[in-house]
Amino acid sequence: MHICSVVSARPNFIKLAAICRAIDRRPEAAIRHTIIHTGQHYDPLLSDIFFTQLTIPTPTINLEIGGLSRVDMIAKTHDALLTVFSSLKPDWVFVYGDVNGAVGAAGAAHECSIPIAHIEAGLRSFDQEMPEELNRIAIDGMARLLFCTERSAVENVIREQRSGTPVLVGNTMADTLLSTLPFIRSRTPSFSPHQPFVLSTLHRPSNVDHEEPLGHALRLLTRVNEHCRVYIAAHPRLMRSLASSNALMALASECQIIEPLGYLEFLSALDRCEFILTDSGGIQEEAVVLHKRCFTLRRNTERPVTVESGSNVLVDPSRREDCESVMQYVTSRTPAHIEVPKEWDGKTGDRIIDYICRL
Ligand code: UDP
């Protein structure tokens, strides 16, 4: 069997690592696995370092399609992959998450009549202003297998009457985390602030692309920083916005701005931080597995299980009450009781590969 995995961005690489390991554990299945990188994330700190640290094989093809608008990125990826798929003729195309490259890849596979498996299917924020939501809906419309991380995703797929089959398999992000954690805990961390610290990331367009929401988010971070040092692992998208506004840069600089961390360093920091302030999708899930309190600076989440688990709290930084509830936690630190979904057990990649092999 020949599987083609198409990946584009940081969170995809982490999910891909779990699939690579699951394939390696099934030599008898004789799976040929071709990895294609679309090039959406090309900064070495967002791309190469993940392949090295997670020992993912170097992609056979890198399309180098990055730095474009969403529509151009989808169109160019689609066109380039039409040629690739027509010549490779894989049995399955695996696409991951909700990135632009995944939409282009799914479109090309669909046009070549190659079945698509969507890893992390069915998630819905019900916010069509989010480009990621449009991407998820488009991919799920074309996928034959919809591998879901949580029950809400299966319900969404069923409600939308998708032609593909939803399968609740769990979370490949959790696979990679759980397999990496013992290694991380056994070594001295390279990112090691002397004081207790809070870890933060911001990169969603709705938070970082406009001055007003970014100002609200940064003001909340600086308030927290007065009590506990906040480290912002700054995504290039955030840095671009800060570079264009002295006022916002000054505000952000009250916290500690650091470069994006490699996966090992970031996971280690997540494991040791007091709590998390983020707008990332994947970090909401990692917080659950690490039993951490996570404040997600968004009005909605496509991952409701993270809230139900007891870890995640949604915060709209423009709302006073929301900011006050964060500050109340900062001063009280009431411990949260967090329950990890039972499918997030580190075996999701194996379930996906077993499922495909049994077909
Ligand atoms: N991450 C990382 N270094 C960082 C920030 C995040 O390795 O400096 C990892 C993090 O552990 C998570 C993934 O990147 O697994 C999340 O990616 P991101 O927030 O960019 O994307 P999203 O999940 O929001 O799509």
Side-chain angles (χ1 to χ4, degrees):
M1 177 170 25
H2 183 189
I3 296 173
C4 222
S5 275
V6 183
V7 287
S8 302
R10 176 165 73 181
N12 292 172
F13 311 142
I14 298 162
K15 292 160 201 161
L16 169 66
I19 295 299
C20 290
R21 290 198 180 136
I23 290 175
D24 287 348
R25 281 192 286 268
R26 292 287 302 263
E28 78 289 355
I31 296 170
R32 174 177 166 210
H33 189 202
T34 303
I35 299 172
I36 299 176
H37 191 326
T38 69
Q40 186 173 333
H41 274 174
Y42 49 85
D43 183 325
L45 290 178
L46 299 187
S47 179
D48 302 7
I49 193 165
F50 289 84
F51 284 83
T52 312
Q53 291 192 337
L54 292 168
T55 58
I56 304 169
T58 307
T60 312
I61 301 169
N62 190 327
L63 302 175
E64 296 183 5
I65 300 170
L68 301 173
S69 70
R70 171 174 176 269
V71 171
D72 287 344
M73 199 142 22
I74 292 172
K76 280 206 154 195
T77 308
H78 171 271
D79 292 352
L81 287 176
L82 270 184
T83 317
V84 173
F85 293 156
S86 307
S87 107
L88 286 181
K89 297 189 176 52
D91 299 301
W92 284 93
V93 168
F94 278 22
V95 297
Y96 300 75
D98 52 22
V99 293
N100 300 332
V103 185
H110 195 60
E111 217 162 306
C112 295
S113 303
I114 301 165
I116 300 155
H118 184 199
I119 293 172
E120 203 187 83
L123 296 177
R124 297 288 181 269
S125 64
F126 303 102
D127 174 1
Q128 302 232 349
E129 301 279 305
M130 285 180 80
E132 296 90 343
E133 180 76 353
L134 304 177
N135 291 352
R136 293 179 201 116
I137 292 170
I139 299 165
D140 288 342
M142 295 182 270
R144 172 139 353 143
L145 287 177
L146 299 122
F147 290 121
C148 298
T149 50
E150 57 173 275
R151 195 155 294 284
S152 77
V154 175
E155 286 159 9
N156 292 333
V157 169
I158 293 170
R159 196 184 44 254
E160 291 171 11
Q161 301 187 314
R162 299 288 168 186
S163 57
T165 308
V167 192
L168 180 61
V169 282
N171 198 324
T172 49
M173 215 70 176
D175 286 14
T176 306
L177 187 159
L178 291 169
S179 63
T180 314
L181 207 52
F183 171 72
I184 280 169
R185 287 184 175 162
S186 69
R187 27 178 253 171
T188 313
S190 57
F191 171 74
S192 189
H194 296 303
Q195 307 286 338
F197 64 98
V198 173
L199 192 59
S200 181
T201 72
L202 291 176
H203 75 286
R204 294 254 100 78
S206 57
N207 273 331
V208 305
D209 283 3
H210 303 284
E211 287 204 10
E212 197 182 325
L214 184 53
H216 286 304
L218 292 175
R219 271 187 286 279
L220 176 58
L221 264 54
T222 56
R223 280 186 72 189
V224 173
N225 184 63
E226 286 165 16
H227 298 263
C228 188
R229 195 79 172 126
V230 175
Y231 284 80
I232 309 174
H235 191 279
R237 195 172 185 118
L238 170 64
M239 287 314 289
R240 277 197 293 276
S241 293
L242 295 181
S244 64
S245 160
N246 290 340
L248 290 176
M249 180 60 98
L251 202 53
S253 302
E254 288 182 31
C255 304
Q256 188 72 42
I257 303 175
I258 55 173
E259 288 198 305
L261 296 171
Y263 181 69
L264 300 181
E265 293 77 14
F266 191 77
L267 194 54
S268 166
L270 270 185
D271 190 32
R272 286 174 294 115
C273 71
E274 297 293 302
F275 61 95
I276 302 154
L277 293 160
T278 190
D279 60 9
S280 160
I283 297 170
Q284 293 172 50
E285 299 180 336
E286 290 167 335
V288 173
V289 182
L290 291 169
H291 293 261
K292 291 275 167 181
R293 164 65 77 223
C294 176
F295 291 103
T296 297
L297 308 192
R298 284 176 47 190
R299 292 188 185 144
N300 51 50
T301 179
E302 58 289 330
R303 295 162 159 89
V305 80
T306 59
V307 176
E308 290 150 21
S309 75
S311 158
N312 194 10
V313 177
L314 298 181
V315 173
D316 175 353
S318 70
R319 290 187 71 223
R320 240 186 84 163
E321 312 85 89
D322 286 19
C323 295
E324 290 317 316
S325 71
V326 176
M327 297 315 296
Q328 203 186 343
Y329 174 79
V330 172
T331 47
S332 70
R333 303 284 175 88
T334 316
H337 173 72
I338 295 163
E339 266 184 54
V340 183
K342 73 172 180 354
E343 300 83 11
W344 296 16
D345 58 357
K347 296 180 181 140
T348 297
D350 294 326
R351 281 193 282 274
I352 290 172
I353 296 303
D354 284 351
Y355 193 96
I356 292 268
C357 289
R358 278 203 311 269
L359 289 174

